[in-house]
Amino acid sequence: MSYGVSIPHIYRQIGVYASRILKGAKPADLPIQQPTKFELIINLKTAKVLGLTIPQSLLATADEVIDGLVAGHA
Protein backbone atom coordinates (compact mmCIF):
# COMPACT_ATOMS: atom_id res chain seq x y z
CA MET A 1 0.00 0.00 0.00
CA SER A 2 1.02 3.55 -0.61
CA TYR A 3 -0.56 6.67 0.81
CA GLY A 4 0.95 9.91 -0.40
CA VAL A 5 0.53 13.09 -2.34
CA SER A 6 -1.02 13.07 -5.79
CA ILE A 7 1.89 13.66 -8.17
CA PRO A 8 -0.27 15.15 -10.97
CA HIS A 9 -1.79 17.55 -8.42
CA ILE A 10 1.67 18.64 -7.24
CA TYR A 11 2.77 19.25 -10.84
CA ARG A 12 -0.26 21.51 -11.35
CA GLN A 13 0.64 23.45 -8.19
CA ILE A 14 4.21 23.87 -9.45
CA GLY A 15 2.83 25.23 -12.72
CA VAL A 16 0.72 27.79 -10.89
CA TYR A 17 3.72 28.87 -8.82
CA ALA A 18 5.93 29.17 -11.91
CA SER A 19 3.26 31.19 -13.68
CA ARG A 20 2.99 33.63 -10.78
CA ILE A 21 6.78 34.09 -10.71
CA LEU A 22 6.94 34.59 -14.48
CA LYS A 23 4.23 37.24 -14.15
CA GLY A 24 6.44 39.17 -11.74
CA ALA A 25 5.61 37.86 -8.27
CA LYS A 26 8.57 37.60 -5.93
CA PRO A 27 9.11 34.03 -4.74
CA ALA A 28 9.61 35.26 -1.18
CA ASP A 29 6.14 36.83 -1.27
CA LEU A 30 4.38 33.63 -2.34
CA PRO A 31 2.74 31.58 0.40
CA ILE A 32 4.09 28.18 1.32
CA GLN A 33 1.63 25.55 0.18
CA GLN A 34 0.97 22.13 1.63
CA PRO A 35 -0.32 19.21 -0.44
CA THR A 36 -4.09 18.96 -0.31
CA LYS A 37 -4.74 15.86 -2.41
CA PHE A 38 -3.55 12.44 -1.30
CA GLU A 39 -3.93 9.03 -2.95
CA LEU A 40 -4.25 5.53 -1.53
CA ILE A 41 -2.90 2.82 -3.84
CA ILE A 42 -3.18 -0.87 -2.94
CA ASN A 43 -1.26 -3.67 -4.66
CA LEU A 44 -3.43 -6.77 -4.28
CA LYS A 45 -0.97 -9.03 -6.07
CA THR A 46 1.72 -8.29 -3.49
CA ALA A 47 -0.77 -8.57 -0.63
CA LYS A 48 -1.74 -12.06 -1.84
CA VAL A 49 1.92 -13.13 -2.11
CA LEU A 50 2.44 -11.95 1.48
CA GLY A 51 -0.70 -13.77 2.62
CA LEU A 52 -2.50 -10.56 3.55
CA THR A 53 -6.22 -9.99 3.21
CA ILE A 54 -7.21 -6.40 2.51
CA PRO A 55 -10.67 -5.49 3.87
CA GLN A 56 -13.25 -4.71 1.20
CA SER A 57 -13.99 -1.39 2.94
CA LEU A 58 -10.36 -0.32 2.42
CA LEU A 59 -10.39 -1.45 -1.21
CA ALA A 60 -13.54 0.60 -1.77
CA THR A 61 -11.83 3.78 -0.57
CA ALA A 62 -8.61 3.26 -2.55
CA ASP A 63 -7.88 5.62 -5.44
CA GLU A 64 -6.19 2.77 -7.33
CA VAL A 65 -6.10 -0.99 -6.85
CA ILE A 66 -3.36 -2.94 -8.63
CA ASP A 67 -4.54 -6.52 -9.04
CA GLY A 68 -1.71 -7.83 -11.19
CA LEU A 69 -4.04 -8.89 -14.00
CA VAL A 70 -3.37 -7.72 -17.53
CA ALA A 71 -6.46 -6.32 -19.23
CA GLY A 72 -8.28 -9.10 -21.05
CA HIS A 73 -6.54 -11.88 -19.08
CA ALA A 74 -7.87 -13.69 -16.05
Side-chain angles (χ1 to χ4, degrees), residues 5-19 33 35-37:
V5 298
S6 167
I7 299 300
H9 184 72
I10 292 296
Y11 286 153
R12 281 190 289 278
Q13 284 183 317
I14 291 169
V16 170
Y17 250 54
S19 173
Q33 293 187 339
T36 57
K37 183 168 170 53

Side-chain angles (χ1 to χ4, degrees), residues 1-3 37-42 54-65:
M1 282 191 277
S2 170
Y3 184 71
K37 183 168 170 53
F38 295 85
E39 295 177 325
L40 173 63
I41 301 172
I42 300 173
I54 307 297
Q56 195 61 37
S57 58
L58 190 57
L59 292 172
T61 61
D63 294 290
E64 182 180 350
V65 176

